[in-house]
Short mmCIF file of all heavy atoms in Angstrom, two decimals:
data_model
loop_
_atom_site.label_atom_id
_atom_site.label_comp_id
_atom_site.label_asym_id
_atom_site.label_seq_id
_atom_site.Cartn_x
_atom_site.Cartn_y
_atom_site.Cartn_z
N MET F 206 -35.10 -5.79 -26.82
CA MET F 206 -34.20 -4.68 -27.08
C MET F 206 -33.45 -4.26 -25.82
O MET F 206 -32.28 -3.94 -25.89
CB MET F 206 -35.02 -3.51 -27.65
CG MET F 206 -34.20 -2.35 -28.07
SD MET F 206 -33.18 -2.83 -29.46
CE MET F 206 -32.51 -1.30 -29.93
N LYS F 207 -34.13 -4.28 -24.67
CA LYS F 207 -33.49 -3.91 -23.41
C LYS F 207 -32.38 -4.89 -23.06
O LYS F 207 -31.35 -4.49 -22.54
CB LYS F 207 -34.51 -3.85 -22.28
CG LYS F 207 -35.43 -2.67 -22.36
CD LYS F 207 -36.38 -2.65 -21.18
CE LYS F 207 -37.34 -1.48 -21.29
NZ LYS F 207 -38.27 -1.43 -20.16
N LYS F 208 -32.58 -6.18 -23.37
CA LYS F 208 -31.56 -7.18 -23.08
C LYS F 208 -30.30 -6.94 -23.92
O LYS F 208 -29.19 -7.10 -23.44
CB LYS F 208 -32.10 -8.60 -23.34
CG LYS F 208 -33.02 -9.10 -22.29
CD LYS F 208 -33.40 -10.54 -22.56
CE LYS F 208 -34.32 -11.06 -21.47
NZ LYS F 208 -34.67 -12.46 -21.69
N VAL F 209 -30.49 -6.55 -25.15
CA VAL F 209 -29.35 -6.29 -26.04
C VAL F 209 -28.54 -5.10 -25.52
O VAL F 209 -27.31 -5.15 -25.45
CB VAL F 209 -29.83 -6.05 -27.49
CG1 VAL F 209 -28.68 -5.60 -28.37
CG2 VAL F 209 -30.48 -7.30 -28.05
N ILE F 210 -29.23 -4.04 -25.14
CA ILE F 210 -28.54 -2.86 -24.62
C ILE F 210 -27.84 -3.19 -23.31
O ILE F 210 -26.68 -2.81 -23.10
CB ILE F 210 -29.54 -1.69 -24.43
CG1 ILE F 210 -30.04 -1.21 -25.80
CG2 ILE F 210 -28.89 -0.53 -23.68
CD1 ILE F 210 -31.16 -0.20 -25.73
N PHE F 211 -28.50 -3.89 -22.41
CA PHE F 211 -27.90 -4.28 -21.14
C PHE F 211 -26.68 -5.16 -21.35
O PHE F 211 -25.63 -4.95 -20.73
CB PHE F 211 -28.92 -5.00 -20.26
CG PHE F 211 -28.36 -5.45 -18.95
CD1 PHE F 211 -28.09 -4.53 -17.94
CD2 PHE F 211 -28.05 -6.78 -18.72
CE1 PHE F 211 -27.55 -4.93 -16.74
CE2 PHE F 211 -27.51 -7.20 -17.52
CZ PHE F 211 -27.27 -6.27 -16.52
N THR F 212 -26.77 -6.11 -22.27
CA THR F 212 -25.65 -7.01 -22.56
C THR F 212 -24.48 -6.22 -23.15
O THR F 212 -23.32 -6.45 -22.78
CB THR F 212 -26.08 -8.11 -23.54
OG1 THR F 212 -27.19 -8.82 -22.98
CG2 THR F 212 -24.97 -9.09 -23.82
N ALA F 213 -24.76 -5.29 -24.02
CA ALA F 213 -23.70 -4.48 -24.62
C ALA F 213 -23.02 -3.61 -23.56
O ALA F 213 -21.79 -3.51 -23.53
CB ALA F 213 -24.26 -3.61 -25.73
N LEU F 214 -23.79 -3.00 -22.69
CA LEU F 214 -23.22 -2.18 -21.62
C LEU F 214 -22.39 -3.02 -20.66
O LEU F 214 -21.33 -2.60 -20.21
CB LEU F 214 -24.31 -1.43 -20.87
CG LEU F 214 -24.98 -0.29 -21.64
CD1 LEU F 214 -26.13 0.29 -20.82
CD2 LEU F 214 -23.98 0.79 -21.98
N ALA F 215 -22.88 -4.22 -20.34
CA ALA F 215 -22.13 -5.10 -19.45
C ALA F 215 -20.81 -5.52 -20.10
O ALA F 215 -19.77 -5.57 -19.44
CB ALA F 215 -22.97 -6.33 -19.11
N ALA F 216 -20.83 -5.80 -21.38
CA ALA F 216 -19.61 -6.20 -22.09
C ALA F 216 -18.60 -5.05 -22.10
O ALA F 216 -17.41 -5.27 -21.89
CB ALA F 216 -19.94 -6.63 -23.51
N VAL F 217 -19.06 -3.84 -22.32
CA VAL F 217 -18.17 -2.68 -22.32
C VAL F 217 -17.58 -2.48 -20.93
O VAL F 217 -16.38 -2.22 -20.78
CB VAL F 217 -18.92 -1.41 -22.79
CG1 VAL F 217 -18.11 -0.16 -22.52
CG2 VAL F 217 -19.26 -1.52 -24.26
N ALA F 218 -18.39 -2.62 -19.89
CA ALA F 218 -17.91 -2.46 -18.51
C ALA F 218 -16.86 -3.51 -18.18
O ALA F 218 -15.84 -3.20 -17.56
CB ALA F 218 -19.07 -2.54 -17.53
N ILE F 219 -17.08 -4.73 -18.58
CA ILE F 219 -16.13 -5.81 -18.30
C ILE F 219 -14.82 -5.57 -19.05
O ILE F 219 -13.73 -5.69 -18.47
CB ILE F 219 -16.73 -7.19 -18.67
CG1 ILE F 219 -17.84 -7.54 -17.68
CG2 ILE F 219 -15.66 -8.28 -18.69
CD1 ILE F 219 -18.66 -8.75 -18.06
N CYS F 220 -14.89 -5.19 -20.30
CA CYS F 220 -13.67 -4.93 -21.09
C CYS F 220 -12.89 -3.74 -20.52
O CYS F 220 -11.67 -3.77 -20.47
CB CYS F 220 -14.03 -4.68 -22.54
SG CYS F 220 -14.58 -6.17 -23.41
N THR F 221 -13.61 -2.72 -20.09
CA THR F 221 -12.94 -1.56 -19.50
C THR F 221 -12.23 -1.94 -18.21
O THR F 221 -11.09 -1.54 -17.98
CB THR F 221 -13.97 -0.44 -19.23
OG1 THR F 221 -14.59 -0.09 -20.47
CG2 THR F 221 -13.31 0.79 -18.63
N THR F 222 -12.90 -2.72 -17.37
CA THR F 222 -12.30 -3.16 -16.12
C THR F 222 -11.05 -4.00 -16.37
O THR F 222 -10.02 -3.78 -15.74
CB THR F 222 -13.32 -3.98 -15.29
OG1 THR F 222 -14.46 -3.16 -15.05
CG2 THR F 222 -12.71 -4.42 -13.97
N ILE F 223 -11.12 -4.91 -17.29
CA ILE F 223 -9.96 -5.75 -17.62
C ILE F 223 -8.83 -4.88 -18.16
O ILE F 223 -7.67 -5.05 -17.80
CB ILE F 223 -10.34 -6.85 -18.63
CG1 ILE F 223 -11.25 -7.88 -17.95
CG2 ILE F 223 -9.10 -7.52 -19.21
CD1 ILE F 223 -11.86 -8.89 -18.89
N GLY F 224 -9.16 -3.92 -19.00
CA GLY F 224 -8.14 -3.03 -19.56
C GLY F 224 -7.46 -2.19 -18.50
O GLY F 224 -6.25 -2.01 -18.52
N LEU F 225 -8.21 -1.68 -17.54
CA LEU F 225 -7.62 -0.86 -16.49
C LEU F 225 -6.78 -1.68 -15.54
O LEU F 225 -5.72 -1.24 -15.09
CB LEU F 225 -8.72 -0.13 -15.72
CG LEU F 225 -9.46 0.97 -16.48
CD1 LEU F 225 -10.60 1.51 -15.63
CD2 LEU F 225 -8.52 2.08 -16.88
N VAL F 226 -7.23 -2.86 -15.21
CA VAL F 226 -6.49 -3.71 -14.27
C VAL F 226 -5.20 -4.22 -14.90
O VAL F 226 -4.17 -4.31 -14.25
CB VAL F 226 -7.37 -4.87 -13.79
CG1 VAL F 226 -6.57 -5.88 -13.00
CG2 VAL F 226 -8.53 -4.34 -12.95
N SER F 227 -5.24 -4.53 -16.17
CA SER F 227 -4.07 -5.10 -16.82
C SER F 227 -2.95 -4.08 -17.00
O SER F 227 -1.82 -4.45 -17.22
CB SER F 227 -4.44 -5.71 -18.17
OG SER F 227 -4.86 -4.70 -19.05
N CYS F 228 -3.26 -2.80 -16.90
CA CYS F 228 -2.23 -1.77 -17.07
C CYS F 228 -1.39 -1.56 -15.81
O CYS F 228 -0.31 -1.01 -15.89
CB CYS F 228 -2.87 -0.44 -17.45
SG CYS F 228 -3.56 -0.44 -19.10
N SER F 229 -1.91 -1.95 -14.67
CA SER F 229 -1.16 -1.74 -13.44
C SER F 229 -0.38 -3.00 -13.08
O SER F 229 -0.87 -4.11 -13.23
CB SER F 229 -2.08 -1.34 -12.29
OG SER F 229 -3.03 -2.33 -12.05
N LYS F 230 0.85 -2.80 -12.65
CA LYS F 230 1.75 -3.90 -12.31
C LYS F 230 2.51 -3.54 -11.06
O LYS F 230 2.34 -2.48 -10.48
CB LYS F 230 2.78 -4.10 -13.42
CG LYS F 230 2.29 -4.48 -14.75
CD LYS F 230 3.49 -4.61 -15.66
CE LYS F 230 3.15 -5.07 -17.03
NZ LYS F 230 4.34 -5.19 -17.87
N SER F 231 3.39 -4.42 -10.70
CA SER F 231 4.35 -4.14 -9.63
C SER F 231 5.69 -3.81 -10.26
O SER F 231 6.15 -4.51 -11.16
CB SER F 231 4.50 -5.34 -8.70
OG SER F 231 3.35 -5.53 -7.95
N TYR F 232 6.28 -2.73 -9.81
CA TYR F 232 7.59 -2.32 -10.27
C TYR F 232 8.51 -2.22 -9.07
O TYR F 232 8.06 -2.17 -7.93
CB TYR F 232 7.52 -0.95 -10.97
CG TYR F 232 6.75 -0.99 -12.26
CD1 TYR F 232 5.40 -0.67 -12.29
CD2 TYR F 232 7.37 -1.33 -13.44
CE1 TYR F 232 4.69 -0.71 -13.48
CE2 TYR F 232 6.68 -1.37 -14.64
CZ TYR F 232 5.33 -1.06 -14.65
OH TYR F 232 4.63 -1.10 -15.82
N GLU F 233 9.79 -2.19 -9.32
CA GLU F 233 10.76 -2.03 -8.25
C GLU F 233 11.64 -0.83 -8.56
O GLU F 233 12.15 -0.68 -9.66
CB GLU F 233 11.62 -3.29 -8.10
CG GLU F 233 12.48 -3.26 -6.87
CD GLU F 233 13.03 -4.62 -6.53
OE1 GLU F 233 12.31 -5.61 -6.64
OE2 GLU F 233 14.21 -4.67 -6.16
N CYS F 234 11.77 0.03 -7.56
CA CYS F 234 12.63 1.20 -7.68
C CYS F 234 13.92 0.88 -6.93
O CYS F 234 13.91 0.66 -5.72
CB CYS F 234 11.95 2.43 -7.07
SG CYS F 234 12.92 3.93 -7.19
N GLU F 235 15.03 0.81 -7.66
CA GLU F 235 16.31 0.49 -7.06
C GLU F 235 17.16 1.75 -6.99
O GLU F 235 17.43 2.38 -8.01
CB GLU F 235 17.02 -0.58 -7.89
CG GLU F 235 18.34 -1.01 -7.30
CD GLU F 235 18.98 -2.10 -8.12
OE1 GLU F 235 18.67 -3.27 -7.84
OE2 GLU F 235 19.76 -1.77 -9.03
N CYS F 236 17.55 2.12 -5.78
CA CYS F 236 18.34 3.32 -5.56
C CYS F 236 19.70 2.95 -4.96
O CYS F 236 19.78 2.17 -4.02
CB CYS F 236 17.62 4.27 -4.61
SG CYS F 236 16.05 4.85 -5.23
N SER F 237 20.73 3.54 -5.51
CA SER F 237 22.09 3.39 -4.98
C SER F 237 22.58 4.76 -4.56
O SER F 237 22.32 5.76 -5.23
CB SER F 237 23.03 2.84 -6.06
OG SER F 237 22.60 1.57 -6.47
N TYR F 238 23.28 4.79 -3.43
CA TYR F 238 23.77 6.08 -2.92
C TYR F 238 24.95 5.86 -2.00
O TYR F 238 25.17 4.79 -1.47
CB TYR F 238 22.67 6.84 -2.19
CG TYR F 238 22.01 6.05 -1.08
CD1 TYR F 238 22.47 6.13 0.22
CD2 TYR F 238 20.92 5.24 -1.35
CE1 TYR F 238 21.88 5.41 1.25
CE2 TYR F 238 20.32 4.51 -0.33
CZ TYR F 238 20.79 4.60 0.96
OH TYR F 238 20.21 3.88 1.96
N ASP F 239 25.73 6.92 -1.83
CA ASP F 239 26.86 6.95 -0.92
C ASP F 239 26.32 7.37 0.44
O ASP F 239 25.70 8.42 0.58
CB ASP F 239 27.90 7.95 -1.41
CG ASP F 239 29.14 8.00 -0.54
OD1 ASP F 239 29.17 7.33 0.50
OD2 ASP F 239 30.08 8.73 -0.91
N ASP F 240 26.54 6.56 1.47
CA ASP F 240 25.96 6.83 2.79
C ASP F 240 26.73 7.87 3.61
O ASP F 240 26.39 8.15 4.75
CB ASP F 240 25.78 5.56 3.59
CG ASP F 240 27.08 4.91 4.01
OD1 ASP F 240 28.16 5.44 3.66
OD2 ASP F 240 27.02 3.86 4.67
N GLY F 241 27.73 8.48 3.03
CA GLY F 241 28.49 9.51 3.72
C GLY F 241 29.81 9.01 4.26
O GLY F 241 30.73 9.79 4.50
N SER F 242 29.94 7.71 4.46
CA SER F 242 31.20 7.16 4.96
C SER F 242 31.99 6.50 3.83
O SER F 242 32.94 5.78 4.07
CB SER F 242 30.92 6.12 6.05
OG SER F 242 30.23 5.01 5.52
N GLY F 243 31.53 6.73 2.59
CA GLY F 243 32.22 6.14 1.45
C GLY F 243 31.68 4.78 1.05
O GLY F 243 32.16 4.17 0.12
N THR F 244 30.68 4.30 1.76
CA THR F 244 30.08 3.00 1.48
C THR F 244 28.88 3.17 0.56
O THR F 244 28.02 4.01 0.80
CB THR F 244 29.62 2.30 2.78
OG1 THR F 244 30.73 2.22 3.66
CG2 THR F 244 29.09 0.92 2.50
N LYS F 245 28.83 2.38 -0.49
CA LYS F 245 27.72 2.42 -1.43
C LYS F 245 26.58 1.57 -0.88
O LYS F 245 26.76 0.40 -0.56
CB LYS F 245 28.19 1.88 -2.78
CG LYS F 245 27.36 2.29 -3.94
CD LYS F 245 27.56 3.73 -4.26
CE LYS F 245 27.16 4.03 -5.68
NZ LYS F 245 27.09 5.44 -5.95
N GLN F 246 25.40 2.15 -0.74
CA GLN F 246 24.22 1.46 -0.25
C GLN F 246 23.22 1.29 -1.39
O GLN F 246 23.17 2.09 -2.31
CB GLN F 246 23.55 2.25 0.88
CG GLN F 246 24.40 2.46 2.09
CD GLN F 246 24.62 1.16 2.86
OE1 GLN F 246 23.77 0.29 2.91
NE2 GLN F 246 25.79 1.04 3.45
N THR F 247 22.40 0.24 -1.31
CA THR F 247 21.34 0.00 -2.28
C THR F 247 20.03 -0.17 -1.54
O THR F 247 19.96 -0.89 -0.55
CB THR F 247 21.63 -1.26 -3.12
OG1 THR F 247 22.90 -1.10 -3.77
CG2 THR F 247 20.57 -1.49 -4.16
N ASN F 248 19.01 0.52 -2.03
CA ASN F 248 17.68 0.46 -1.43
C ASN F 248 16.69 0.06 -2.52
O ASN F 248 16.62 0.69 -3.56
CB ASN F 248 17.33 1.84 -0.86
CG ASN F 248 15.97 1.88 -0.22
OD1 ASN F 248 15.39 0.86 0.08
ND2 ASN F 248 15.46 3.09 -0.04
N ASN F 249 15.92 -1.00 -2.28
CA ASN F 249 14.90 -1.44 -3.22
C ASN F 249 13.52 -1.20 -2.63
O ASN F 249 13.26 -1.60 -1.50
CB ASN F 249 15.06 -2.93 -3.55
CG ASN F 249 16.33 -3.21 -4.29
OD1 ASN F 249 16.74 -2.45 -5.14
ND2 ASN F 249 16.97 -4.32 -3.96
N SER F 250 12.66 -0.54 -3.40
CA SER F 250 11.30 -0.28 -2.96
C SER F 250 10.35 -0.88 -3.98
O SER F 250 10.46 -0.62 -5.18
CB SER F 250 11.04 1.22 -2.87
OG SER F 250 11.91 1.81 -1.95
N THR F 251 9.40 -1.69 -3.52
CA THR F 251 8.40 -2.28 -4.40
C THR F 251 7.25 -1.30 -4.55
O THR F 251 6.71 -0.80 -3.58
CB THR F 251 7.89 -3.62 -3.83
OG1 THR F 251 9.00 -4.50 -3.68
CG2 THR F 251 6.87 -4.25 -4.75
N LEU F 252 6.87 -1.07 -5.79
CA LEU F 252 5.76 -0.18 -6.12
C LEU F 252 4.67 -1.04 -6.77
O LEU F 252 4.72 -1.31 -7.97
CB LEU F 252 6.23 0.93 -7.07
CG LEU F 252 7.43 1.74 -6.60
CD1 LEU F 252 7.95 2.64 -7.71
CD2 LEU F 252 7.07 2.55 -5.38
N ALA F 253 3.71 -1.48 -5.98
CA ALA F 253 2.67 -2.40 -6.47
C ALA F 253 1.43 -1.64 -6.92
O ALA F 253 1.04 -0.65 -6.31
CB ALA F 253 2.30 -3.38 -5.36
N GLY F 254 0.84 -2.11 -8.00
CA GLY F 254 -0.41 -1.55 -8.49
C GLY F 254 -0.27 -0.23 -9.22
O GLY F 254 -1.20 0.56 -9.26
N TYR F 255 0.89 0.04 -9.77
CA TYR F 255 1.16 1.29 -10.48
C TYR F 255 1.20 1.06 -11.98
O TYR F 255 1.56 -0.01 -12.44
CB TYR F 255 2.52 1.86 -10.08
CG TYR F 255 2.56 2.52 -8.73
CD1 TYR F 255 2.71 1.77 -7.57
CD2 TYR F 255 2.47 3.89 -8.61
CE1 TYR F 255 2.76 2.38 -6.33
CE2 TYR F 255 2.53 4.51 -7.38
CZ TYR F 255 2.67 3.76 -6.24
OH TYR F 255 2.73 4.36 -5.02
N THR F 256 0.88 2.10 -12.74
CA THR F 256 1.20 2.08 -14.16
C THR F 256 2.68 2.45 -14.27
O THR F 256 3.27 2.95 -13.31
CB THR F 256 0.35 3.11 -14.94
OG1 THR F 256 0.64 4.42 -14.46
CG2 THR F 256 -1.14 2.82 -14.82
N ARG F 257 3.27 2.25 -15.42
CA ARG F 257 4.69 2.54 -15.57
C ARG F 257 4.98 4.03 -15.34
O ARG F 257 5.97 4.39 -14.71
CB ARG F 257 5.18 2.11 -16.96
CG ARG F 257 6.66 2.39 -17.17
CD ARG F 257 7.25 1.46 -18.20
NE ARG F 257 8.67 1.65 -18.35
CZ ARG F 257 9.61 1.11 -17.56
NH1 ARG F 257 9.24 0.36 -16.55
NH2 ARG F 257 10.89 1.32 -17.78
N VAL F 258 4.11 4.88 -15.84
CA VAL F 258 4.31 6.32 -15.69
C VAL F 258 4.25 6.71 -14.22
O VAL F 258 5.10 7.47 -13.74
CB VAL F 258 3.25 7.10 -16.51
CG1 VAL F 258 3.29 8.58 -16.22
CG2 VAL F 258 3.44 6.84 -18.00
N ASP F 259 3.25 6.19 -13.49
CA ASP F 259 3.13 6.51 -12.06
C ASP F 259 4.28 5.92 -11.25
O ASP F 259 4.77 6.54 -10.31
CB ASP F 259 1.80 6.02 -11.51
CG ASP F 259 0.62 6.80 -12.07
OD1 ASP F 259 0.82 7.94 -12.54
OD2 ASP F 259 -0.51 6.27 -12.03
N ALA F 260 4.72 4.71 -11.62
CA ALA F 260 5.85 4.09 -10.92
C ALA F 260 7.12 4.91 -11.14
O ALA F 260 7.91 5.10 -10.21
CB ALA F 260 6.04 2.66 -11.40
N LYS F 261 7.31 5.41 -12.35
CA LYS F 261 8.48 6.24 -12.64
C LYS F 261 8.44 7.54 -11.83
O LYS F 261 9.46 7.96 -11.27
CB LYS F 261 8.53 6.56 -14.15
CG LYS F 261 9.65 7.48 -14.56
CD LYS F 261 11.00 6.83 -14.43
CE LYS F 261 12.07 7.76 -14.97
NZ LYS F 261 13.26 7.80 -14.16
N ALA F 262 7.26 8.14 -11.73
CA ALA F 262 7.12 9.37 -10.93
C ALA F 262 7.40 9.09 -9.46
O ALA F 262 8.06 9.90 -8.79
CB ALA F 262 5.71 9.95 -11.11
N SER F 263 6.94 7.97 -8.95
CA SER F 263 7.20 7.61 -7.55
C SER F 263 8.67 7.33 -7.31
O SER F 263 9.23 7.72 -6.29
CB SER F 263 6.37 6.39 -7.15
OG SER F 263 5.01 6.71 -7.14
N CYS F 264 9.31 6.67 -8.26
CA CYS F 264 10.73 6.37 -8.14
C CYS F 264 11.54 7.68 -8.17
O CYS F 264 12.49 7.84 -7.39
CB CYS F 264 11.17 5.44 -9.26
SG CYS F 264 12.83 4.75 -9.06
N ASP F 265 11.13 8.62 -9.02
CA ASP F 265 11.79 9.93 -9.05
C ASP F 265 11.62 10.66 -7.73
O ASP F 265 12.54 11.31 -7.24
CB ASP F 265 11.23 10.77 -10.20
CG ASP F 265 11.64 10.26 -11.57
OD1 ASP F 265 12.58 9.42 -11.64
OD2 ASP F 265 11.01 10.67 -12.57
N ALA F 266 10.43 10.53 -7.12
CA ALA F 266 10.19 11.18 -5.83
C ALA F 266 11.05 10.55 -4.73
O ALA F 266 11.55 11.25 -3.85
CB ALA F 266 8.71 11.07 -5.46
N ILE F 267 11.22 9.24 -4.79
CA ILE F 267 12.10 8.56 -3.83
C ILE F 267 13.52 9.07 -3.98
O ILE F 267 14.22 9.34 -2.99
CB ILE F 267 12.02 7.03 -4.00
CG1 ILE F 267 10.64 6.51 -3.59
CG2 ILE F 267 13.12 6.33 -3.21
CD1 ILE F 267 10.37 5.06 -3.96
N GLU F 268 13.97 9.23 -5.22
CA GLU F 268 15.32 9.74 -5.48
C GLU F 268 15.49 11.14 -4.92
O GLU F 268 16.50 11.44 -4.27
CB GLU F 268 15.61 9.73 -6.98
CG GLU F 268 17.00 10.21 -7.33
CD GLU F 268 17.31 10.09 -8.82
OE1 GLU F 268 16.45 9.64 -9.59
OE2 GLU F 268 18.43 10.45 -9.19
N ILE F 269 14.51 11.99 -5.13
CA ILE F 269 14.58 13.36 -4.61
C ILE F 269 14.65 13.34 -3.09
O ILE F 269 15.42 14.08 -2.48
CB ILE F 269 13.38 14.19 -5.11
CG1 ILE F 269 13.53 14.45 -6.61
CG2 ILE F 269 13.26 15.51 -4.35
CD1 ILE F 269 12.29 15.00 -7.28
N GLY F 270 13.86 12.48 -2.46
CA GLY F 270 13.87 12.37 -1.00
C GLY F 270 15.22 11.91 -0.47
O GLY F 270 15.72 12.42 0.53
N LEU F 271 15.83 10.96 -1.15
CA LEU F 271 17.14 10.46 -0.72
C LEU F 271 18.24 11.50 -0.94
O LEU F 271 19.19 11.57 -0.17
CB LEU F 271 17.49 9.17 -1.44
CG LEU F 271 16.73 7.91 -1.00
CD1 LEU F 271 17.02 6.75 -1.94
CD2 LEU F 271 17.10 7.55 0.42
N LYS F 272 18.09 12.31 -1.97
CA LYS F 272 19.11 13.34 -2.25
C LYS F 272 19.19 14.38 -1.14
O LYS F 272 20.21 15.02 -0.97
CB LYS F 272 18.83 14.02 -3.59
CG LYS F 272 19.28 13.21 -4.76
CD LYS F 272 19.08 13.95 -6.07
CE LYS F 272 19.60 13.09 -7.21
NZ LYS F 272 19.46 13.75 -8.51
N SER F 273 18.10 14.53 -0.37
CA SER F 273 18.13 15.49 0.72
C SER F 273 18.99 15.01 1.89
O SER F 273 19.42 15.80 2.72
CB SER F 273 16.72 15.80 1.20
OG SER F 273 16.14 14.66 1.80
N SER F 274 19.26 13.68 1.94
CA SER F 274 20.04 13.13 3.05
C SER F 274 21.38 12.53 2.63
O SER F 274 22.29 12.45 3.45
CB SER F 274 19.24 12.02 3.74
OG SER F 274 18.04 12.52 4.27
N PHE F 275 21.48 12.08 1.40
CA PHE F 275 22.69 11.38 0.94
C PHE F 275 23.21 12.00 -0.35
O PHE F 275 22.47 12.61 -1.11
CB PHE F 275 22.40 9.89 0.72
CG PHE F 275 21.87 9.18 1.92
CD1 PHE F 275 20.53 8.87 2.02
CD2 PHE F 275 22.71 8.84 2.96
CE1 PHE F 275 20.04 8.22 3.13
CE2 PHE F 275 22.23 8.19 4.08
CZ PHE F 275 20.88 7.88 4.17
N SER F 276 24.49 11.78 -0.60
CA SER F 276 25.07 12.26 -1.84
C SER F 276 25.12 11.15 -2.88
O SER F 276 25.01 9.97 -2.55
CB SER F 276 26.49 12.78 -1.59
OG SER F 276 27.32 11.72 -1.15
N ASP F 277 25.28 11.54 -4.11
CA ASP F 277 25.47 10.59 -5.22
C ASP F 277 24.34 9.57 -5.31
O ASP F 277 24.59 8.37 -5.36
CB ASP F 277 26.83 9.90 -5.07
CG ASP F 277 27.22 9.15 -6.32
OD1 ASP F 277 26.81 9.56 -7.43
OD2 ASP F 277 27.92 8.12 -6.21
N VAL F 278 23.09 10.03 -5.32
CA VAL F 278 21.92 9.13 -5.40
C VAL F 278 21.55 8.89 -6.86
O VAL F 278 21.53 9.81 -7.66
CB VAL F 278 20.70 9.74 -4.65
CG1 VAL F 278 19.50 8.84 -4.80
CG2 VAL F 278 21.03 9.96 -3.20
N SER F 279 21.27 7.64 -7.16
CA SER F 279 20.82 7.27 -8.50
C SER F 279 19.74 6.20 -8.37
O SER F 279 20.00 5.13 -7.80
CB SER F 279 21.99 6.74 -9.32
OG SER F 279 21.52 6.27 -10.56
N CYS F 280 18.53 6.47 -8.86
CA CYS F 280 17.43 5.51 -8.78
C CYS F 280 16.99 5.13 -10.19
O CYS F 280 16.99 5.95 -11.10
CB CYS F 280 16.24 6.11 -8.04
SG CYS F 280 16.56 6.43 -6.29
N SER F 281 16.60 3.88 -10.34
CA SER F 281 16.09 3.41 -11.62
C SER F 281 14.93 2.45 -11.38
O SER F 281 14.87 1.76 -10.38
CB SER F 281 17.19 2.73 -12.44
OG SER F 281 17.65 1.58 -11.77
N LEU F 282 14.03 2.43 -12.34
CA LEU F 282 12.85 1.58 -12.28
C LEU F 282 13.18 0.22 -12.91
O LEU F 282 13.70 0.15 -14.01
CB LEU F 282 11.70 2.25 -13.02
CG LEU F 282 10.32 1.75 -12.77
CD1 LEU F 282 9.95 1.88 -11.29
CD2 LEU F 282 9.32 2.51 -13.63
N LYS F 283 12.90 -0.83 -12.20
CA LYS F 283 13.15 -2.19 -12.69
C LYS F 283 11.84 -2.89 -12.96
O LYS F 283 10.87 -2.68 -12.33
CB LYS F 283 13.94 -3.01 -11.68
CG LYS F 283 15.24 -2.39 -11.28
CD LYS F 283 16.26 -2.59 -12.33
CE LYS F 283 17.58 -1.96 -11.86
NZ LYS F 283 18.60 -2.03 -12.75
#
């Protein structure tokens, strides 16, 4: 009986680990902005090991940070 319980718990742990790892990926946050001299710049940031929701939040934070220095900033998650 102990072997059955241990095997079941091990199987649940393995499935949970696989499920959590498979949800995280690498995303790219691509930001375009006017550098002040009229030139359009593009900045790409790799966001590795994020879920889509967390990567979107990080990309939004990057956009907010760029808006403090540059005008016409637009970031999108790729």
Side-chain angles (χ1 to χ4, degrees):
M206 185 67 171
K207 287 182 182 180
K208 284 185 179 182
V209 172
I210 293 172
F211 179 73
T212 303
L214 289 175
V217 168
I219 290 170
C220 289
T221 301
T222 302
I223 290 171
L225 291 175
V226 171
S227 65
C228 290
S229 60
K230 297 179 177 180
S231 290
Y232 293 94
E233 190 165 319
C234 181
E235 182 178 272
C236 298
S237 299
Y238 55 92
D239 182 355
D240 67 0
S242 65
T244 305
K245 201 72 159 168
Q246 299 290 327
T247 302
N248 180 17
N249 294 321
S250 300
T251 301
L252 307 170
Y255 284 82
T256 62
R257 180 155 184 82
V258 172
D259 291 339
K261 177 69 175 138
S263 293
C264 191
D265 290 345
I267 292 170
E268 182 175 0
I269 290 168
L271 286 171
K272 281 184 178 180
S273 66
S274 299
F275 303 103
S276 63
D277 192 29
V278 177
S279 174
C280 294
S281 63
L282 197 60
K283 304 282 181 182

